[in-house]
Amino acid sequence: MLDGLTIFENLDVPLSYRGLKSGERQAAIAEILDQFQLSGKKSLYPSQLSGGIQQLVAVARAVVGKPKLILADEPTGNLHSQQGKEIMELFTRLNRAGTTIVQVTHSEVNAAYGRRTIQLSDGVVVAEERN
């Protein structure tokens, strides 16, 4: 996230790069704020948020533009277990709808959500399985 921007503005950045009109951007942001239960925090800056809320905003920002590819490095690392489960279920729904998600994680629970798991050790593939 960009420190000098509010949550709302941080969510607006990826949409503005796509050339969406203001009304379309505002509707998409309102929807994602509701989905992540962040509507009451939309005017806050990253420094005013806990690490867990910052991580939720980062995930919201990653998905707000409905990308075809999401690269996620420990996407639930600062979240409590219920929030983490909700993010992983969101990723599952997005993947079923056609979004490719590449997740790097140490969590076996999170890895089990994937269709395919590749285990690395010292940069070498040591195991691969389809779930």
Side-chain angles (χ1 to χ4, degrees), residues 1-118:
M1 288 192 307
L2 301 171
D3 292 333
L5 300 180
T6 64
I7 288 177
F8 186 93
E9 293 165 338
N10 266 287
L11 294 172
D12 189 46
V13 168
L15 298 176
S16 65
Y17 287 143
R18 297 178 112 188
L20 295 177
K21 294 179 182 173
S22 177
E24 293 174 298
R25 294 194 322 260
Q26 288 181 12
I29 293 167
E31 180 181 325
I32 206 85
L33 286 169
D34 284 344
Q35 181 178 358
F36 282 80
Q37 299 175 343
L38 293 168
S39 295
K41 299 181 184 325
K42 68 182 179 182
S43 297
L44 298 178
Y45 292 87
S47 63
Q48 298 172 299
L49 306 173
S50 69
I53 298 298
Q54 287 180 14
Q55 190 150 13
L56 280 178
V57 173
V59 172
R61 185 176 173 193
V63 302
V64 70
K66 298 178 174 61
K68 295 291 183 196
L69 171 67
I70 296 174
L71 303 175
D73 183 3
E74 296 290 356
T76 65
N78 290 324
L79 304 178
H80 63 71
S81 59
Q82 182 58 36
Q83 286 174 316
K85 181 180 177 189
E86 290 170 7
I87 295 302
M88 296 312 301
E89 289 172 352
L90 170 65
F91 282 177
T92 298
R93 289 191 306 275
L94 291 170
N95 183 251
R96 286 185 182 140
T99 302
T100 299
I101 300 174
V102 178
Q103 176 187 196
V104 177
T105 186
H106 291 95
S107 168
E108 291 182 21
V109 171
N110 286 0
Y113 279 90
R115 289 188 192 179
R116 182 175 171 207
T117 304
I118 300 170

